[in-house]
């Protein structure tokens, strides 16, 4: 950056550092974003100090055309807006040229979803591991898919919650809110099989370990990170790209497959523990796309055409 705009940007960054105690990475990001804006304005014969509203608006249009993500465009817009608010507060300009610029809309990415056949292959691959390790992993996959549990809820299950073959779990989710998570026959069978080998996972001298998925690790239970690693290995053995599989993807599959089967959206919302139904509605788009694909590829008339 050069000219008056550069000196204003330097003063802005100093203010962010001293008055707002901005972290070094934040200051670096602001400097980079303002430098990007200054470079664009220089191409229009302008500077940060004398840019018009049309110039700033053109900059954000250019961001979209350059293929930047909505999140990156929003961050750069925020940096420019904060800069001009500072400039306005210092009375270096009488107007804010960024005020009328609308924020780029963030598109919500659709969740990754496995097909029912892929989930079956994943469970089979998990169970194929040797002995107790396979029974534990298969149990975790079955529970996650059967109940739509979050990874923290799954690894936080206690022995008391499952020791008596319950038909459902009482899960404490986000915000301490409780919900019922039903268990199907396959999940209950997997739980019984795992319970027989669970003692082998107990830390030495810790027969009173309260966790269902006990471990000899420091925490006394299997960690979310370790489960994710084991899931990656099972995906590879099942012939599924591990990048498409994660503990949360099993929760996505649970919700999507329920909707594909005709479940009511409100019921799925309750089962997932979503406070806002808008969060659950994203699964209707996934299910709709998959149903349309099935019709297009399997319907007799579609085949004829």
């Amino acid at each position: 950056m050069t000219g008056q705009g550069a000196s204003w940007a330097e003063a802005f960054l100093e203010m962010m550092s001293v008055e707002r105690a901005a972290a070094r990475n934040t200051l670096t990001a602001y400097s980079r974003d303002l430098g990007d804006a200054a470079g664009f304005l220089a191409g229009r014969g302008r500077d940060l100090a004398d840019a018009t509203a049309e110039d700033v608006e053109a900059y954000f249009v250019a961001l979209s055309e350059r293929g930047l993500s909505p999140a990156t465009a929003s961050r750069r817009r925020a940096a420019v807006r904060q800069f001009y608010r500072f400039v306005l507060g210092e009375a270096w300009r009488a107007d804010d040229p960024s005020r009328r610029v609308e924020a780029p809309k963030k598109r919500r990415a659709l969740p990754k979803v496995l097909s029912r056949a892929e989930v079956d292959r994943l469970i089979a691959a998990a169970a194929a591991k040797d002995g107790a390790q396979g029974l534990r992993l298969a149990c975790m996959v079955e529970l996650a898919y059967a109940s739509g549990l979050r990874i923290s809820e799954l690894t936080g299950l206690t022995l008391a919650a499952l020791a008596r073959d319950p038909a459902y779990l009482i899960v404490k989710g986000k915000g301490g809110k409780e919900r019922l998570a039903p268990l199907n026959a396959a999940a209950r069978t997997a739980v019984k099989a795992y319970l027989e080998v669970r003692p082998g996972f107990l830390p030495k001298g810790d027969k009173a370990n309260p966790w269902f998925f006990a471990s000899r690790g420091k925490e006394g239970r299997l960690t979310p990170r370790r489960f994710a690693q084991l899931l990656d290995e099972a995906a590879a053995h099942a012939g599924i790209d591990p990048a498409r599989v994660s503990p949360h993807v099993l929760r996505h599959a649970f919700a999507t497959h329920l909707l594909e089967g005709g479940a009511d959206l409100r019921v799925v919302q309750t089962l997932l523990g979503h406070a806002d139904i808008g969060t659950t509605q994203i699964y209707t788009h996934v299910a709709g796309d998959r149903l349309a694909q099935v019709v297009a590829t399997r319907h007799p008339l579609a085949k004829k055409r």
Side-chain angles (χ1 to χ4, degrees), residues 204-217:
K204 290 183 179 179
D206 188 17
K207 293 182 179 180
N209 185 297
W211 305 112
F212 184 63
F213 293 111
S215 168
R216 294 193 181 118

Side-chain angles (χ1 to χ4, degrees), residues 266-284:
R266 288 286 182 185
V267 173
V268 176
Q269 177 192 4
T270 300
L271 291 171
L272 290 174
H274 286 163
D276 182 2
I277 197 169
T279 307
T280 316
Q281 282 178 327
I282 191 169
Y283 293 104
T284 62

Side-chain angles (χ1 to χ4, degrees), residues 12-145:
F12 168 72
L13 294 173
E14 183 178 356
M15 179 276 295
M16 292 294 294
S17 175
V18 176
E19 297 183 16
R20 301 189 186 178
R24 180 178 298 178
N25 288 344
T26 301
L27 295 174
T28 299
Y30 274 123
S31 178
R32 183 169 55 246
D33 292 340
L34 291 177
D36 186 77
F40 174 84
L41 294 171
R44 294 169 67 94
R46 295 283 189 177
D47 180 59
L48 285 169
D50 63 4
T52 66
E54 288 75 16
D55 293 324
V56 175
E57 194 165 7
Y59 171 60
F60 282 101
V61 170
L63 288 179
S64 300
E65 292 176 346
R66 281 157 55 182
L68 296 176
S69 70
T72 299
S74 293
R75 193 197 69 225
R76 292 190 174 175
R77 171 183 174 274
V80 170
R81 290 208 65 175
Q82 288 198 51
F83 167 74
Y84 281 118
R85 284 173 185 167
F86 168 74
V87 168
L88 191 64
E90 294 293 318
W92 293 340
R93 283 187 61 139
D95 66 323
D96 178 356
S98 69
R99 179 169 294 175
R100 81 178 198 183
V101 180
E102 295 183 0
K105 293 183 179 179
K106 292 185 179 180
R107 292 173 295 176
R108 191 169 188 178
L110 293 178
K112 299 175 183 177
V113 176
L114 298 175
S115 68
R116 298 182 189 191
E118 286 173 326
V119 172
D120 288 340
R121 282 160 45 199
L122 187 64
I123 293 172
K129 288 179 68 70
D130 292 337
Q133 294 282 344
L135 291 174
R136 180 179 66 176
L137 183 56
C139 181
M140 296 190 81
V141 177
E142 288 274 19
L143 279 175
Y145 177 58

